[in-house]
């Protein structure tokens, strides 16, 4: 497909050029500029739109003129992106979008700028073709998803009346393959934390004090090693108490999908997989909880050797959670676990990071059936029913506060490199996303 003249490309590229990295305060001006750009895009389409302050990065809200008797659909997405490092591994700069063989490369190309813009331009197309939409529509596009949506819950509480809706539609999840779309009915939740251990006041000569001084790096290694047992189950007592077992229909349905352990091996380009015994890779990624070390530090990290006992050591940990685990409960269990096994010779500090509940939806509800019809028409084939391992921390709260059902209709491909160098999104998916938006609103209006 030669799509270099696709009519939506200039706006897509404009959107991608904003360096809207939410986790790093240095980028706040770019995050704000990106929100302003969205507002003017919505206004040019004839929607009423505004930038709403939240205490963190702003939320953009846009809507058509509501009419009585029509269903209200809220489309959620995020305009913030993940950091770009390691930047030297990008073929071209992350915020200078590039089109190659029908695929756009840039940070945010898939997650989530490409996917949310496909919805926005789908709406624009319907408005151009028909003069109006089949539903009352609200866009809520936030700027803090990639840093945990810390300020959005309070905003939702304060605006629950204006944001009242029947349904929440989201494209921020994945497809099985370019040929096989999916309705995602479950996402994992998350709890993240940093653990820091302190020994002596300063770094010490390991010859003079080795065998005498507490070594926080050694102790940290022992604590982290204790997180898993030999079957690679999380060894924190009580961790699995609230875990819902996989249902038979899920196990058998997922076993039919063209995603086996070899597929994962190829996807991650590793010679072996690792994880909890007794489950397939797919089951582990979608429906089992984990404990992961995301980063580890302390002591000498430079070239060559340095005979030193570090004064401190730290690790960044995250736990992916499944229904019905709660981040607050997992925090208590993990804290108690480390407090119990950490020797008194080192001081331990724990700092809490992200928290988000896992999500489970009904893929058989009448709205879910409508979404499945829209997916089937947009892609020409019936969607798979899947759960996924990633998290969209605010969704559980969004559903609770607005009292609406969630539909996750992902456009991301397994090799989209979200969060990684050379993130990419095919124009074919962008176009399918626009089509999906048009079909979805029609189907939901009649459902
Ligand atoms: N789009 C992802 C979530 C996702 C990834 C859903 C893969 C399904 C499959 C989202 O933008 C994301 O990356 N969320 C973060 C949240 C975290 C920073 C609190 C995640 O899952 O790491
Ligand atoms: Zn993401």
């Amino acid at each position: 497909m030669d799509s270099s003249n696709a009519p939506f490309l200039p706006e897509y590229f404009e959107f991608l050029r904003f360096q809207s990295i939410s986790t790093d305060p240095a980028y706040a001006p770019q995050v704000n500029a990106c929100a302003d750009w969205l507002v003017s895009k919505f206004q040019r389409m004839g929607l009423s739109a505004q930038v709403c302050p939240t205490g963190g990065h702003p939320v953009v809200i846009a809507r058509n003129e509501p009419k009585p008797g029509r269903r209200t659909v809220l489309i959620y997405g995020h305009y913030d992106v993940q950091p770009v490092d390691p930047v030297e591994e990008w073929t071209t700069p992350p915020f200078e979008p590039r089109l190659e063989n029908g695929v756009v490369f840039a940070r945010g190309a898939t997650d989530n700028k490409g996917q949310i813009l496909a919805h926005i331009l789908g709406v624009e197309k319907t408005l151009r073709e028909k003069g109006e939409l089949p539903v009352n529509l609200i866009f809520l596009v936030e700027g803090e998803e990639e840093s945990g949506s810390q300020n959005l819950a309070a905003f939702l509480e304060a605006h629950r009346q204006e944001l009242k809706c029947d349904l929440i539609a989201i494209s921020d999840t994945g497809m099985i393959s370019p040929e096989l779309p999916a309705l995602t009915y479950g996402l994992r939740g998350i709890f993240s934390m940093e653990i820091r251990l302190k020994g002596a006041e300063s770094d010490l000569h390991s010859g003079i004090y080795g065998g005498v001084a507490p070594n926080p790096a050694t102790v940290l290694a022992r604590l982290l090693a204790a997180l898993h047992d030999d079957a690679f189950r999380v060894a924190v007592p009580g961790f699995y108490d609230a875990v819902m077992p996989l249902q038979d229909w899920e196990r058998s349905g997922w076993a039919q999908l063209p995603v086996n352990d070899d597929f994962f091996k190829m996807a991650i380009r590793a010679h072996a997989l690792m994880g909890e015994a007794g489950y397939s890779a797919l089951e582990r990624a979608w429906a089992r909880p984990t404990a992961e070390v995301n980063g580890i530090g302390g002591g000498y990290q430079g070239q060559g050797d340095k005979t030193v006992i570090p004064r401190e050591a730290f690790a960044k940990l995250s736990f992916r959670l499944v229904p019905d685990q709660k981040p607050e409960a997992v925090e208590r269990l993990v804290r108690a676990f480390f407090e119990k096994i950490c020797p008194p010779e080192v001081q331990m500090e724990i700092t809490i990071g992200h928290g988000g509940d896992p999500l489970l939806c009904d893929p058989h509800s009448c709205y879910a059936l409508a979404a499945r019809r829209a997916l089937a028409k947009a892609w020409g084939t019936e969607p798979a029913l899947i759960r996924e391992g990633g998290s969209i921390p605010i969704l559980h709260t969004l559903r609770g506060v607005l009292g609406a059902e969630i539909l996750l209709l992902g456009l991301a491909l397994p090799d989209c490199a979200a969060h990684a160098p050379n993130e990419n999104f095919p124009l074919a998916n962008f176009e399918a996303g626009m089509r999906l938006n048009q079909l979805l609103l029609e189907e939901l209006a009649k459902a």
Side-chain angles (χ1 to χ4, degrees):
M1 170 179 60
D2 175 30
S3 310
S4 51
N5 53 5
F8 53 82
L9 211 52
E11 277 183 323
Y12 184 23
F13 278 22
E14 272 179 42
F15 193 25
L16 290 172
R17 281 192 195 103
F18 291 100
Q19 305 186 15
S20 50
I21 301 172
S22 61
T23 195
D24 184 345
Y27 290 87
Q30 290 278 348
V31 175
N32 283 313
C34 190
D36 291 340
W37 182 87
L38 270 176
V39 166
S40 56
K41 171 66 204 163
F42 283 129
Q43 289 171 342
R44 285 198 304 277
M45 288 161 53
L47 303 184
S48 72
Q50 52 188 322
V51 174
C52 306
T54 63
H57 296 305
V59 171
V60 173
I61 305 281
R63 62 206 316 158
N64 63 349
E65 180 74 41
K67 298 217 173 103
R70 281 196 313 203
R71 205 148 268 149
T72 301
V73 179
L74 183 145
I75 299 179
Y76 164 93
H78 62 95
Y79 65 87
D80 66 320
V81 297
Q82 285 269 327
V84 297
D85 59 291
V87 72
E88 63 284 358
E89 285 184 25
W90 287 77
T91 308
T92 49
F95 293 107
E96 292 173 23
R98 159 175 71 94
L99 176 68
E100 195 180 304
N101 299 326
V103 179
V104 170
F105 291 81
R107 170 56 85 233
T110 286
D111 185 9
N112 178 242
K113 287 175 173 171
Q115 297 186 75
I116 187 64
L117 190 62
H119 278 279
I120 296 171
L121 300 192
V123 166
E124 180 177 47
K125 191 154 181 272
T126 305
L127 286 170
R128 209 182 310 115
E129 288 168 0
K130 306 220 162 123
E132 92 154 322
L133 300 174
V135 297
N136 296 335
L137 184 72
I138 305 173
F139 275 107
L140 186 162
V141 192
E142 70 148 314
E144 289 188 315
E145 195 276 341
E146 298 291 7
S147 49
S149 304
Q150 314 273 11
N151 298 287
L152 191 54
F155 176 86
L156 295 173
E157 289 287 356
H159 296 87
R160 64 196 311 159
Q161 282 313 321
E162 302 114 87
L163 297 174
K164 222 167 136 10
C165 56
D166 303 298
L167 281 154
I168 302 164
I170 302 156
S171 291
D172 193 19
T173 49
M175 302 175 55
I176 296 292
S177 71
E179 294 79 39
L180 185 51
L183 181 76
T184 298
Y185 64 90
L187 288 177
R188 290 197 287 191
I190 190 165
F191 161 65
S192 70
M193 57 171 269
E194 186 171 317
I195 177 168
R196 190 168 284 271
L197 301 183
K198 295 186 176 164
E201 273 290 308
S202 77
D203 284 8
L204 301 169
H205 191 297
S206 68
I208 303 176
Y209 296 108
V212 176
N215 186 326
T218 307
V219 175
L220 181 67
R222 293 173 68 96
L223 298 192
L224 298 182
L227 272 174
H228 295 92
D229 69 13
D230 290 343
F232 232 77
R233 281 171 62 86
V234 178
V236 174
F239 186 73
Y240 290 95
D241 287 359
V243 170
M244 242 179 60
L246 257 157
Q247 307 293 301
D248 288 342
W249 71 269
E250 304 184 281
R251 269 201 134 153
S252 56
W254 297 355
Q256 310 294 312
L257 295 174
V259 188
N260 56 16
D261 284 22
D262 284 337
F263 174 95
F264 275 90
K265 241 185 262 176
M266 260 166 20
I268 66 171
R269 283 168 288 156
H271 67 271
L273 302 177
M274 205 170 161
E276 187 186 357
Y279 296 89
S280 71
L282 196 73
E283 291 168 349
R284 297 199 300 269
W286 291 358
R288 297 296 295 170
T290 61
E292 296 286 356
V293 179
N294 301 126
I296 188 165
Y300 182 60
Q301 312 267 328
Q303 293 291 315
D305 307 325
K306 183 166 188 263
T307 47
V308 68
I309 297 175
R311 59 186 276 273
E312 63 176 16
F314 71 90
K316 292 173 184 282
L317 307 180
S318 63
F319 299 80
R320 293 286 171 170
L321 313 180
V322 302
D324 291 313
Q325 289 178 300
K326 290 269 172 203
E328 310 78 45
V330 170
E331 176 190 338
R332 275 194 299 277
L333 296 173
V334 172
R335 242 184 224 284
F337 174 69
F338 282 139
E339 274 162 10
K340 179 148 184 241
I341 64 173
C342 184
E345 292 81 0
V346 300
Q347 249 179 295
M348 180 176 73
E349 270 171 30
I350 288 178
T351 320
I352 303 307
H354 305 302
D357 283 57
L359 188 77
L360 195 61
C361 311
D362 176 8
H364 308 294
S365 74
C366 94
Y367 290 140
L369 293 175
R372 285 159 65 174
R373 285 196 294 277
L375 282 162
K377 284 187 194 162
W379 293 99
T381 178
E382 286 298 323
L385 302 182
I386 68 173
R387 295 206 235 162
E388 288 186 82
S391 309
I392 307 179
I394 197 64
L395 294 190
H396 190 267
T397 306
L398 191 64
R399 176 170 72 182
V401 173
L402 303 183
E405 191 173 325
I406 287 183
L407 300 168
L408 293 162
L409 314 111
L411 303 170
L413 294 181
D415 58 357
C416 68
H419 297 202
N422 303 311
E423 180 175 350
N424 61 84
F425 195 50
L427 293 179
N429 287 44
F430 196 106
E431 279 163 354
M434 289 173 62
R435 214 159 54 231
L436 174 65
N437 170 274
Q438 297 190 280
L439 293 161
L440 178 70
L441 297 188
E442 268 169 37
E443 290 291 342
L444 291 177
K446 352 186 251 231

